[in-house]
Amino acid sequence: MLARVAATRLGMLDHRLPTLGSRALLRFANMPVKPRSLFHTSAVTRTTDWQNMTATEQAATFDPTLPGRVLGPWQKFTGFMSFYKEGIKALWANRTQYRSIKQQIRNDEEISRAEFQIYTRYPNDRLRMIPFAVLVVLAPELIYLIVLLMPGFCPSTCMTYRAMTKGARRHDKLKQKLHLQALSRIRNAGLSTSDFVDEAALTKAVQAGNSVFSLDQMSRTNLALMYRFFGIGPLSMVLPTSWLRTSVQRRLEYIRTDDALLGSEQLISGLGLVELFRACQERGIPAADLPEYQLRLALYNWVRLSQRQMPDNAVPIAWSRLVLLNRSVKLANSPV
């Protein structure tokens, strides 16, 4: 079974983050997900209890590119080798855990966010495991360059923080262009930026029944816009509309489930930097140049709005991110 880490309320925002979410039974791709309290996973954990870290957390502590680490050339090389070795070991450990999680799902048992993340990430990671391991053995000096040029080649357990931030910076530039397109699209739909600036205005706009907030009625151009904004994949202009709609729907279902787990398990203040960064990127939050406390606040605002107002439809929140980009919807009675 997974080694689980108690989610302690740490960090600058701990005293300002109230309880989120509920413990309602969710379904993600026909998989029962019951939010658990007290446990969390993070690529860089905010605990020093080594025995209670997951394999992914243990591997991430070897990352030589984490902020604050100053290493010489040889230390960097050995640090990268240690990190990739531990990442492959973590991937192999996740393989065993993935089988256990699948059995839990078949038995309709409760799973935690740690297990949910392994269940969603491992299928893609295992396709990259063998070629990446071969590269580590045969040409270790080329790994860093290949990861920077082709980040999709690297399993998630072997992705350095620096490589993640560089990829995010490129995607954030694309988001700026898509943001301008989104402003034009909402004007064509009879909406304005003021409909997204606060919780009350967004709720009112959704209740008005505008088709842009319905995934089933969304136009192909808007689907392609959302597909690219969330970084789901390339070639949005040549993919069939049904593919775009299904892909966006799956991403939003994943985010909705993850929101509920983050909220109910009180994980936001306990997430480590890398896992926090990933969560923001998955939600389209520009993350490359934001300090950690702003990332944590942006994720908190997203999850709070999701759980309070729109637990069954993440499309309005997705549009709010497209329209506001670097800002969050202002929440009613917000403590922050």
Side-chain angles (χ1 to χ4, degrees):
M1 295 296 293
L2 285 170
R4 298 185 177 89
V5 182
T8 53
R9 297 177 62 78
L10 306 174
M12 299 175 63
L13 300 176
D14 293 344
H15 64 290
R16 304 164 73 184
L17 302 185
T19 301
L20 296 169
S22 65
R23 296 184 58 81
L25 175 66
L26 306 172
R27 300 201 73 84
F28 174 78
N30 297 319
M31 176 182 67
V33 180
K34 300 177 183 177
R36 269 185 192 161
S37 60
L38 300 182
F39 305 118
H40 76 87
T41 183
S42 60
V44 178
T45 183
R46 304 184 80 185
T47 179
T48 57
D49 189 353
W50 180 267
Q51 292 183 344
N52 286 327
M53 292 184 190
T54 66
T56 301
E57 290 170 337
Q58 292 176 358
T61 61
F62 290 85
D63 187 350
T65 69
L66 289 173
R69 292 190 174 176
V70 181
L71 305 174
W74 177 250
Q75 291 175 314
K76 285 183 180 180
F77 178 78
T78 56
F80 278 116
M81 292 302 98
S82 297
F83 173 68
Y84 293 133
K85 182 185 71 173
E86 294 299 322
I88 293 173
K89 287 170 60 178
L91 187 55
W92 190 259
N94 288 347
R95 173 176 173 268
T96 302
Q97 294 167 353
Y98 179 77
R99 293 176 177 176
S100 175
I101 295 167
K102 287 186 70 175
Q103 187 60 47
Q104 288 179 258
I105 294 169
R106 293 191 189 100
N107 297 336
D108 200 34
E109 296 178 8
E110 175 182 321
I111 67 172
S112 67
R113 184 178 188 266
E115 295 160 333
F116 178 64
Q117 290 299 320
I118 290 175
Y119 184 84
T120 54
R121 290 177 186 170
Y122 178 74
N124 288 328
D125 282 347
R126 67 183 173 190
L127 298 177
R128 307 178 180 117
M129 178 169 59
I130 294 179
F132 187 81
V134 170
L135 182 63
V136 169
V137 174
L138 298 182
E141 66 279 1
L142 297 179
I143 294 177
Y144 184 67
L145 179 62
I146 291 176
V147 169
L148 288 179
L149 297 177
M150 298 184 294
F153 177 81
C154 184
S156 64
T157 56
C158 298
M159 180 69 72
T160 65
Y161 180 73
R162 182 179 300 167
M164 289 176 57
T165 54
K166 286 189 176 182
R169 195 167 285 113
R170 289 193 298 268
H171 193 213
D172 286 352
K173 290 181 180 178
L174 173 63
K175 289 175 184 174
Q176 292 283 351
K177 298 178 182 179
L178 298 177
H179 162 66
L180 297 178
Q181 295 179 26
L183 294 178
S184 174
R185 303 280 170 79
I186 64 166
R187 284 195 293 268
N188 294 338
L191 299 169
S192 66
T193 306
S194 61
D195 292 312
F196 297 87
V197 294
D198 59 51
E199 185 177 356
L202 181 58
T203 302
K204 183 178 179 180
V206 173
Q207 291 174 345
N210 198 302
S211 62
V212 298
F213 297 123
S214 172
L215 197 61
D216 293 334
Q217 301 177 41
M218 193 176 294
S219 67
R220 175 186 170 78
T221 53
N222 287 341
L223 287 170
L225 178 68
M226 200 163 288
Y227 183 90
R228 297 178 66 197
F229 186 82
F230 286 102
I232 299 174
L235 306 175
S236 61
M237 301 309 296
V238 299
L239 292 173
T241 303
S242 59
W243 182 289
L244 294 174
R245 196 182 311 278
T246 300
S247 298
V248 172
Q249 182 178 12
R250 287 177 177 173
R251 171 58 66 89
L252 294 180
E253 285 178 354
Y254 161 80
I255 292 174
R256 180 177 64 87
T257 304
D258 199 44
D259 285 347
L261 290 168
L262 283 170
S264 68
E265 298 180 23
Q266 289 295 282
L267 303 186
I268 297 175
S269 59
L271 286 179
L273 177 59
V274 175
E275 190 66 19
L276 174 66
F277 191 90
R278 281 179 173 150
C280 289
Q281 280 292 103
E282 289 170 344
R283 289 158 177 79
I285 299 172
D289 298 309
L290 291 180
E292 180 180 345
Y293 79 93
Q294 287 189 8
L295 291 177
R296 209 171 295 280
L297 178 58
L299 180 61
Y300 166 75
N301 283 337
W302 174 292
V303 173
R304 185 167 181 239
L305 181 62
S306 169
Q307 294 303 288
R308 281 179 47 172
Q309 297 294 333
M310 301 156 195
D312 299 322
N313 183 12
V315 175
I317 311 177
W319 270 111
S320 74
R321 178 55 58 188
L322 275 158
V323 172
L324 301 178
L325 194 59
N326 294 316
R327 295 179 292 159
S328 298
V329 175
K330 185 177 180 181
L331 302 173
N333 303 317
S334 176
V336 293

